[in-house]
Amino acid sequence: MTNLFAKTAIGMVTTTALALAIAITTHDLADAAEFNFNWKGDTGYSAKGSFNYDTTTAPSVISETGLGATKNLQSLSISFFDPFSNLINSFTPVLGSVSNYSFLRFNFDNTTQQIFGPFDVGKDDELPGDTWLNNNLALIDEGFSDEVLAKEFGFNNRDAAGTKQILDLSNNSVQVSQVPEGSIIIGLLAVCSLGLTAHRNLSRANQE
């Protein structure tokens, strides 16, 4: 009876994964563009994130600002790390084509695949633990900040009292890399393969 339940569960997982792979393949996968990005400061703090948008409606330059419905971004997430690679915090400033970050500044040239200009991604509600990465010099030039800082990017955090701290500064830019279109399908097909292998091994064990 146990083996029957195991075979049924394996079969369900394999069938579901295969169905998802087929569905994703036939559901405009080629129209979705997903990118990873990363930044590292001079003292070792770092940020990693990802964003995506629909290539059928996106202009050559994607620009997003503030709260509310986005023009092009479907999602945008970011995670922050200390110099020892320990996670500080993670946020999703854009989800379901809606920005929940009032200070959001995001500019991406999808021709050169580079982030440029004013950049402010993370969370800042003036609460302890809020963390964000911004392009200081670009924001100052645009009139969004009156801080006097010598380096371009700043890694910011609010302490237990909610006071802003600049943890790291650097002239290092935010680096971008595109996620291969087939990566989701490859992962699902790997699940299918593992499921089929487990099914065969369980069948052999029952025959012995």
Side-chain angles (χ1 to χ4, degrees):
M1 183 65 73
T2 301
N3 285 341
L4 177 59
F5 286 145
K7 288 174 69 175
T8 302
I10 292 170
M12 289 177 64
V13 170
T14 304
T15 302
T16 302
L18 183 58
L20 282 171
I22 294 171
I24 291 173
T25 303
T26 58
H27 190 66
D28 301 326
L29 182 63
D31 296 334
E34 183 173 358
F35 295 84
N36 292 328
F37 64 88
N38 65 85
W39 175 88
K40 190 165 187 177
D42 290 350
T43 62
Y45 286 88
S46 62
K48 295 180 181 179
S50 64
F51 62 93
N52 66 50
Y53 58 88
D54 187 340
T55 58
T56 61
T57 58
S60 58
V61 173
I62 293 172
S63 182
E64 305 287 0
T65 304
L67 290 168
T70 56
K71 291 176 284 187
N72 299 112
L73 281 183
Q74 296 174 332
S75 69
L76 171 64
S77 62
I78 190 167
S79 296
F80 301 96
F81 302 87
D82 69 15
F84 302 99
S85 298
N86 297 312
L87 179 67
I88 295 175
N89 223 327
S90 293
F91 304 105
T92 306
V94 176
L95 181 64
S97 299
V98 176
S99 166
N100 55 56
Y101 181 42
S102 58
F103 301 111
L104 177 68
R105 296 291 184 278
F106 183 89
N107 297 278
F108 176 69
D109 186 326
N110 61 34
T111 301
T112 62
Q113 295 192 353
Q114 292 183 332
I115 286 173
F116 69 96
F119 181 91
D120 191 332
V121 177
K123 179 182 179 183
D124 184 21
D125 293 328
E126 299 186 357
L127 296 174
D130 286 354
T131 313
W132 66 99
L133 176 68
N134 62 13
N135 184 326
N136 303 302
L137 303 187
L139 290 170
I140 291 170
D141 288 344
E142 294 287 330
F144 296 126
S145 174
D146 56 3
E147 291 182 292
V148 179
L149 299 169
K151 293 190 177 181
E152 188 172 8
F153 280 88
F155 185 107
N156 310 279
N157 174 263
R158 291 196 181 274
D159 63 17
T163 303
K164 176 185 174 182
Q165 308 174 97
I166 299 176
L167 299 179
D168 207 337
L169 291 169
S170 178
N171 286 322
N172 295 334
S173 60
V174 177
Q175 300 297 309
V176 179
S177 60
Q178 186 165 10
V179 177
E181 290 180 357
S183 59
I184 298 175
I185 299 300
I186 291 172
L188 289 172
L189 290 177
V191 173
C192 292
S193 177
L194 288 172
L196 289 171
T197 300
H199 188 276
R200 291 193 190 101
N201 290 341
L202 189 57
S203 296
R204 289 197 191 101
N206 289 337
Q207 293 171 0
E208 292 175 354

